[in-house]
């Protein structure tokens, strides 16, 4: 992209005082910063208008034409100015402590992460889990984890002060691990009471909803009734129950019915996480799915969904196997793969899943341990041919060698369906991503490119090139829509008094550069990102200033 020159008109700016105090000129309070002449999209879906935006402290202090000079001035003529992007479904969670620069996220213009998705949140942890987590973070990243539950995580974020803001849901899988353990059985009355109490505590501490990841253990060990009971804690708060549903392919329609049933019975809003009809043989279900959602909304259920702008999903290799045969932990699962009593069932299920996707090359390995690092970044079919192995035998070998922990990407969605989901008015756009950087320990795996490219890809590829929706609508889906859904006051809009989370980008050049083969690449066309009034990206580079903090929901129990 064309490099833009920023005009700094004052000494304070030249000295780089990102926290310049309010100064009083001629008896009037002068703004700390004025962004001059950008095409301002306020986040509500209104088309852009050329205006100035003034920032004082951590808030937007004025929006209008010809605003008086600020202590610092930045000329953003020719750029779009939007509220900082809110990623409604992420797994940044604990990994935010690995690297508070959160490089791959802030450089996309993301200023607020909604974590705790797919049933997994940072706690609540049992004493043993807490110690294990603390040791892992100490050893690997040299950081001290000093909290034990999701509300404590929010306080931890305030102390860490990362580049981005963070809010979190509470995962039913985490609640279940805490109260029941990783076992496939119904929770007892007493255990359910513990889960509800932990959820209540988390919500009182600022968490913004409940999540589940029903294709994963132990989240998926929860029955529909247990989920209703748990979700009912949210009643009256307006916070959603967000679900990575029990199934996303052959039984996806039933899974949607289950989610809606939970929402209706518990009396809470619902959100379908990373919606898709996975696998070639299920693509026809797409219009049926949209019909179900629209019908549910028409009949009074507050239902929404989120979707990421890619035709491939990201999960673990164990995802090729049924949840019910993954209970009891990794060792038990690996045992079942070898046990003649269960081996055949597991193999049949895996092969059927592959058939539904297309072929073995529909699966690409994204992470694996040292001994099988040759597999990282490669597709299963190609690898099997190359090594003269039967593909299923290769899967077993990879699982054994890595004790079940192998990251994968699955090419399972249709481009046409993805475009329709992105543009649908009930949908929001998410990355489903985590914290990565092209350096250090975070560069060691080959993650899904959505981690680096989601928002620039939405605005550059899908809006500019494919024209799937107007720019202002795409911006609404990643600003005010998620802020409203999670009841986050003062976020997701450009208006006087809201927090100064801002992103300036070039609508003509913004684009993702991360690919499935080379994911660790920053996007282009995003020269300026501000978080709580702190200039974090300037001239497309990190300033080293970090203004992020925990964002707590507005609802009270
Ligand atoms: Zn998920």
């Amino acid at each position: 992209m064309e490099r833009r020159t920023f005009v700094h008109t004052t000494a304070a700016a030249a000295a780089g005082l990102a926290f310049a105090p309010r100064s009083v000129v001629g008896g009037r309070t002068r703004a700390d910063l004025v962004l001059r002449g950008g095409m301002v999209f306020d986040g509500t879906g209104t088309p852009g208008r050329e205006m100035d935006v003034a920032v004082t402290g951590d808030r937007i202090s004025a929006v209008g034409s010809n605003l008086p000079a600020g202590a610092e001035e930045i000329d953003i003529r020719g750029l779009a100015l939007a509220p900082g992007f809110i990623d409604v479904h992420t797994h940044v969670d604990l990994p935010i402590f690995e690297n508070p620069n959160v490089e791959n996220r802030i450089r996309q213009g993301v200023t607020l992460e909604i974590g705790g998705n797919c049933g997994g949140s940072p706690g609540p942890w049992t004493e043993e889990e807490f110690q294990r987590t603390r040791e892992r973070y100490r050893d690997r990243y040299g950081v001290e984890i000093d909290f034990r539950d999701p509300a404590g995580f929010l306080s931890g974020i305030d102390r860490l002060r990362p580049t981005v803001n963070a809010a979190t849901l509470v995962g039913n899988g985490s609640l279940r691990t805490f109260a029941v353990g990783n076992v496939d059985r119904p929770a007892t009355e007493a255990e359910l009471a513990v889960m509800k109490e932990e959820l209540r505590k988390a919500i009182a501490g600022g968490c913004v909803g409940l999540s589940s990841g029903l294709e994963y253990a132990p989240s998926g060990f929860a029955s529909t009734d247990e989920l209703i009971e748990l979700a009912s804690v949210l009643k009256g708060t307006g916070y959603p129950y967000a679900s990575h549903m029990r199934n996303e392919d052959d039984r996806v329609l039933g899974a949607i019915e289950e989610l809606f049933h939970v929402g209706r019975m518990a009396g809470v809003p619902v959100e379908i996480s990373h919606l898709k009809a996975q696998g070639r043989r299920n693509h026809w279900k797409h219009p049926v799915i949209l019909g179900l959602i629209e019908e549910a909304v028409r009949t009074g259920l507050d239902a929404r969904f989120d979707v990421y702008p890619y035709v491939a999903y990201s999960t673990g290799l164990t995802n090729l196997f049924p949840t019910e045969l993954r209970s009891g932990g990794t060792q038990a699962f690996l045992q079942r793969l070898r046990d003649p009593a269960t081996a055949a069932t597991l193999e049949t299920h895996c092969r059927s899943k592959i058939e539904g996707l297309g072929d073995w090359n529909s699966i690409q390995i994204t992470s694996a341990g040292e001994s099988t690092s040759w597999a990282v970044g490669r597709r299963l079919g190609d690898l099997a041919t190359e090594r003269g192995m039967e593909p299923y035998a290769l899967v077993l070998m990879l699982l054994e060698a890595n004790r079940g922990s192998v990251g994968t990407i699955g090419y399972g969605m249709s481009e046409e369906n993805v475009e329709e989901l992105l543009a649908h008015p009930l949908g929001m756009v998410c990355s489903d991503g985590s914290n990565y950087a092209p350096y250090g320990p975070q560069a060691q795996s080959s993650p899904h490119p959505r981690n680096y490219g989601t928002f620039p890809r939405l605005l550059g590829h899908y809006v500019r090139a494919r024209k799937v929706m107007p720019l202002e609508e795409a911006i609404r889906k990643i600003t005010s829509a998620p802020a409203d859904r999670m009841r986050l006051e003062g976020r997701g809009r450009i208006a006087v008094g809201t927090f100064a989370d801002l992103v300036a980008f070039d609508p003509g050049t913004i684009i993702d550069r991360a690919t499935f083969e080379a994911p660790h690449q920053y996007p282009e066309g995003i020269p300026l990102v501000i978080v709580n009034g702190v200039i974090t990206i300037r001239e497309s580079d990190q300033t080293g200033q970090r203004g992020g903090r925990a964002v707590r929901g507005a609802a009270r129990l």
Side-chain angles (χ1 to χ4, degrees), residues 208-229:
V208 292
L210 172 70
S211 82
S212 66
L214 302 177
E215 278 194 307
Y216 301 115
S219 172
F221 300 149
S223 67
T224 307
D225 285 343
E226 180 177 317
L227 293 166
I228 292 169
E229 193 62 29

Side-chain angles (χ1 to χ4, degrees), residues 154-213:
L154 293 175
S155 307
I157 290 292
D158 280 333
R159 289 190 292 276
L160 178 70
R161 211 176 160 89
T163 54
V164 295
N165 296 311
T168 190
L169 306 172
V170 184
N172 89 306
S174 300
L175 292 169
R176 221 174 196 276
T177 307
F178 179 80
V180 187
N182 186 9
V183 284
D184 187 5
R185 63 161 175 80
T188 64
E189 279 297 311
E191 288 163 346
L192 190 54
V194 171
M195 288 193 267
K196 289 173 75 173
E197 184 50 30
E198 285 298 317
L199 177 56
R200 221 172 268 126
K201 259 168 49 192
I203 297 296
C207 298
V208 292
L210 172 70
S211 82
S212 66

Side-chain angles (χ1 to χ4, degrees), residues 15-206:
L17 295 181
F19 298 97
R22 287 172 187 224
S23 48
V24 178
V25 179
R28 279 211 348 241
T29 304
R30 187 163 67 151
D32 295 333
L33 172 66
V34 175
L35 303 171
R36 199 64 78 183
M39 187 61 70
V40 176
F41 291 82
D42 68 3
T44 64
T46 311
R49 278 201 299 148
E50 198 179 303
M51 276 190 292
D52 302 335
V53 172
V55 174
T56 302
D58 61 1
R59 305 269 181 159
I60 291 171
S61 49
V63 181
S65 303
N66 303 313
L67 294 182
E72 176 176 5
E73 296 264 323
I74 300 182
D75 183 353
I76 56 165
R77 255 167 269 272
L79 296 178
L81 185 71
F85 304 148
I86 300 176
D87 194 336
V88 73
H89 181 109
T90 83
H91 297 282
V92 169
D93 306 340
L94 212 50
I96 207 167
F97 288 84
E98 297 171 11
N99 180 352
N101 291 332
V102 208
E103 299 272 8
N104 61 319
R105 321 281 311 150
I106 190 75
R107 287 170 190 264
Q108 289 184 60
V110 172
T111 58
L112 173 52
E113 309 276 353
I114 315 278
N117 278 288
C118 300
S121 49
W125 292 315
T126 59
E127 181 60 27
E128 193 202 328
E129 275 185 289
F130 167 67
Q131 294 298 349
R132 218 176 32 231
T133 307
R134 190 157 71 157
E135 268 163 44
R136 197 172 80 234
Y137 270 76
R138 239 185 224 157
D139 294 352
R140 265 194 226 168
Y141 308 105
V143 292
E144 201 61 25
I145 300 295
D146 57 358
F147 48 84
R148 293 158 188 263
D149 55 33
F153 163 80
L154 293 175
S155 307
I157 290 292
D158 280 333
R159 289 190 292 276
L160 178 70
R161 211 176 160 89
T163 54
V164 295
N165 296 311
T168 190
L169 306 172
V170 184
N172 89 306
S174 300
L175 292 169
R176 221 174 196 276
T177 307
F178 179 80
V180 187
N182 186 9
V183 284
D184 187 5
R185 63 161 175 80
T188 64
E189 279 297 311
E191 288 163 346
L192 190 54
V194 171
M195 288 193 267
K196 289 173 75 173
E197 184 50 30
E198 285 298 317
L199 177 56
R200 221 172 268 126
K201 259 168 49 192
I203 297 296

Side-chain angles (χ1 to χ4, degrees), residues 497-521:
T498 61
F499 288 95
D501 293 343
L502 295 161
V503 51
F505 65 91
D506 185 338
T509 62
I510 187 171
I511 199 70
D512 58 310
R513 293 180 57 242
T515 62
F516 286 98
E517 290 70 33
H520 292 284
Q521 305 200 63

Side-chain angles (χ1 to χ4, degrees), residues 89 91 118 216 244 248 273-274 432:
H89 181 109
H91 297 282
C118 300
Y216 301 115
H244 169 153
E248 298 188 318
S273 299
H274 42 63
D432 199 10

